[in-house]
């Protein structure tokens, strides 16, 4: 979803990057959970992912997806 938002002009690019960073944060949080000293850092990364998820939900519910460039509207 983040790659889609970054590569097209249908959503804000910052939102796309927030989703990409959140996805990477999920993977890193799973790896950091295995190390007891770094577990709190892994939880913080999961919270960052939640920001992107809530933002995309709010954006799609309130604004929706923009039409493609050059798309005909009736």
């Amino acid at each position: 979803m983040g790659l889609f938002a970054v590569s097209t002009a249908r959503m804000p690019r910052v939102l796309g990057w927030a989703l990409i960073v959140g996805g990477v944060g999920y993977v890193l949080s799973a790896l950091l959970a295995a190390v007891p000293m770094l577990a709190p850092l892994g939880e913080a990364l999961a919270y960052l992912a939640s920001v992107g998820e809530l933002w995309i939900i709010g954006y799609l519910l309130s604004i929706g997806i923009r039409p493609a460039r050059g798309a005909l509207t009736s």
Side-chain angles (χ1 to χ4, degrees):
M1 181 69 99
L3 183 60
F4 173 78
V6 169
S7 64
T8 65
R10 294 180 172 214
M11 292 180 217
R13 293 181 63 86
V14 176
L15 174 58
W17 283 110
L19 291 170
I20 291 171
V21 168
V24 171
Y26 268 140
V27 173
L28 288 177
S29 69
L31 295 173
L32 293 176
V35 180
M37 288 179 57
L38 298 176
L41 179 61
E43 291 177 14
L45 290 173
Y47 289 128
L48 287 174
S50 298
V51 169
E53 291 173 357
L54 293 174
W55 187 3
I56 191 74
I57 290 169
Y59 185 83
L60 290 175
L61 288 175
S62 63
I63 297 172
I65 193 167
R66 297 177 192 157
R69 290 183 185 167
L72 297 175
T73 57
S74 53

